[in-house]
Structure formats: C-alpha cells, structure tokens
Amino acid sequence: MILLVGLGNPGAKYVRNRHNIGFMAADGIVRRHSFTPPRARFQGLVSEGMLAGEKAIVLKPATYMNESGRAVGETMRFYKLTPADIVVFYDELDLEPGKLRIKTGGGTAGHNGIRSIAAHVGPGFRRVRLGIGHPGVKERVLGYVLGDFSKAEANDWVEPLIDAIADAAPLLAEGKDATFANRVHLALNPEPAPPKKTEEKTRDRNGDG
C-alpha cells in the first residue's frame, strides 16, 4: 500500500495558492485514476484507489499546512504503514517553476508542512518537491506562496505538471521514484524529433541511383 499526501491549506480562498500545489497534485491523481470521492477521515480528506495493482490512499490534511503531520501520522498508524510507504507532494521555493525533484529523507529546508510530518512520523518519508520559484527577497516569500498562480502560470506549466504527475503516479506505487521523475521531466520537456532524412540522401547512402 502507498499513501500519497498533498500539502496545502483547506478553504476556498487558498485553492489557487502557490502553497497549495501539493493539493493540486493530489487532486490530479484522484481524477486521473478514478479514486473514490474524498471523505473526511484522519483530520483530512481521503480518497482510495489502485495504482499499478497496489492499493493507494490519497490524503489532503485539513489541519492547515503547519500541522500536516497530525493527519499523516494518524493515517499511517491506522493502515500500519512505514514512512517509506508515504509520498508527500509540496511546493519548493528553491526550484524553478515546473521543476520536480524526488528524494527519501533529508531535512525540512524551512518548510513547515514537512517539519510537522517529520515530527510525527520521522524523516524517512519520500518527498516530491514541486518548484514554484522564488520571489527574489525573503520579505516577499509569505505573500508569494500565499498568492494565487496567474492564468498564464496555470496554462504554461502548472496544469501540464499536474497532468504529468498524474500520468506517472503508478511508478511511485512500484517504487520507481527515479523513473517517475524522469517520466515527468520528459512529459514537460519532450525530446525533439530527429530531422527527417531526404529521399535523395537516403539513396546516396545506400548506393542507389
């Protein structure tokens, strides 16, 4: 079993916030893979489904970002999971918009949601950092992360990123984290098609005509 956690703040006024991109990723997976409608459990909203033949739980904590660990810890204990079974999606200021990085364990890098989860379940969970970019100066960070994505950002990279994550999510259930990250990268940055060879050049190479 795998527990996929999207981080964000509950409530309509936060829906489009940069800080809520983890919620957006969770919602994308639920839609793409026909999970059950969300219901209130474990201090959050829970949907259930299957990924790569494995049972999967998607959790959106309803505790506000700074207390996310309460919901994650309660869910983990109920299903008798280990931190390695948990994948957390969250916003990352120090990554360019649309970039994705995944790792297991590590520090909190000042992210209050990750700090809370580490306090409740330990540091050994899997983290999917979703780049939102940095406003440039520390004083602008709070307003930036709690600000909404623009329509241009949503169209240019937010929605394509969420779609790519949803498509590749079964790889997380298989434990293929590096392949997941690579699949998302390729979806957003497709390799250019090789130039087509002209019929004449092909004939010359083959010694024809």
Side-chain angles (χ1 to χ4, degrees):
M1 184 185 295
I2 187 172
L3 172 60
L4 304 172
V5 181
L7 295 190
N9 287 312
K13 71 177 182 177
Y14 299 109
V15 167
R16 293 179 57 83
N17 281 187
R18 294 181 179 89
H19 215 25
N20 271 38
I21 194 169
F23 272 11
M24 297 174 196
D27 289 339
I29 293 169
V30 167
R31 288 193 302 268
R32 181 63 48 85
H33 299 280
S34 301
F35 277 44
T36 61
R39 59 180 177 140
R41 294 186 75 188
F42 312 124
Q43 303 182 64
L45 293 175
V46 171
S47 299
E48 300 180 2
M50 301 291 291
L51 292 173
E54 296 285 335
K55 183 172 182 179
I57 306 295
V58 169
L59 169 68
K60 293 165 57 179
T63 54
Y64 289 93
M65 182 72 78
N66 294 1
E67 296 292 337
S68 299
R70 287 164 40 201
V72 177
E74 187 174 334
T75 308
M76 184 185 80
R77 289 188 294 273
F78 179 86
Y79 288 107
K80 298 180 172 59
L81 302 175
T82 69
D85 300 318
I86 301 170
V87 181
V88 181
F89 298 88
Y90 63 101
D91 58 300
E92 174 57 79
L93 283 163
D94 294 328
L95 279 179
E96 293 180 18
K99 298 295 184 182
L100 178 151
R101 296 289 184 274
I102 185 168
K103 68 174 183 176
T104 299
T108 65
H111 194 286
N112 290 332
I114 297 300
R115 181 183 292 115
S116 175
I117 295 171
H120 283 265
V121 310
F125 55 93
R126 297 148 68 188
R127 302 127 187 257
V128 180
R129 298 182 293 150
L130 307 176
I132 60 170
H134 197 286
V137 292
K138 184 177 180 180
E139 291 74 19
R140 292 182 56 200
V141 165
L142 182 60
Y144 179 77
V145 298
L146 294 180
D148 287 355
F149 287 116
S150 67
K151 287 185 178 180
E153 287 175 310
N155 292 331
D156 290 347
W157 66 267
V158 177
E159 291 175 7
L161 175 63
I162 298 308
D163 286 343
I165 288 170
D167 284 341
L171 292 164
L172 294 171
E174 297 179 276
K176 298 177 180 178
D177 292 0
T179 306
F180 164 82
N182 188 54
R183 186 74 56 82
V184 172
H185 173 77
L186 289 177
L188 298 175
N189 304 276
E191 295 179 354
K196 292 183 178 179
K197 298 172 183 174
T198 64
E199 184 179 349
E200 182 177 348
K201 287 183 179 179
T202 302
R203 287 203 309 268
D204 287 346
R205 190 180 65 246
N206 291 337
D208 296 334

